[in-house]
Amino acid sequence: MKIKNKVKGYRIMLGLTQQEVANELNISISSYINKESGRTAFKDNEKMLFKDLLLPYFPNISLEDIFF
């Protein structure tokens, strides 16, 4: 079952590559691709790191907005 998230759209809005986001989350590119595509779930700490990337542009964004 694929896990629904909006990470790819937000990543593209930020103008970041998958590799750049993987580096920010301290995970491998292949792990990031699996998470972005919904094959595996993001860990809680990875969700917080991704949210931190968005806060300068979306100060009121919640984890629910991104991941659910």
Side-chain angles (χ1 to χ4, degrees):
M1 180 180 101
K2 286 187 91 173
I3 303 157
K4 182 160 174 52
N5 67 61
K6 302 174 193 114
V7 172
K8 182 177 182 179
Y10 283 119
R11 176 181 61 78
I12 291 168
M13 267 193 277
L14 292 172
L16 298 173
T17 66
Q18 290 178 321
Q19 182 66 67
E20 289 169 327
V21 177
N23 292 346
E24 290 288 332
L25 302 182
N26 296 311
I27 59 176
S28 69
I29 181 71
S30 59
S31 180
Y32 179 77
I33 289 169
N34 284 330
K35 292 170 190 264
E36 183 179 271
S37 67
R39 285 191 281 277
T40 57
F42 283 88
K43 295 177 184 171
D44 289 345
N45 66 314
E46 294 164 348
K47 290 178 181 180
M48 293 303 296
L49 289 168
F50 192 83
K51 179 183 172 187
D52 289 345
L53 295 175
L54 293 170
L55 284 176
Y57 307 97
F58 305 98
N60 299 317
I61 199 162
S62 70
L63 290 176
E64 289 76 23
D65 294 332
I66 306 164
F67 295 99
F68 302 102

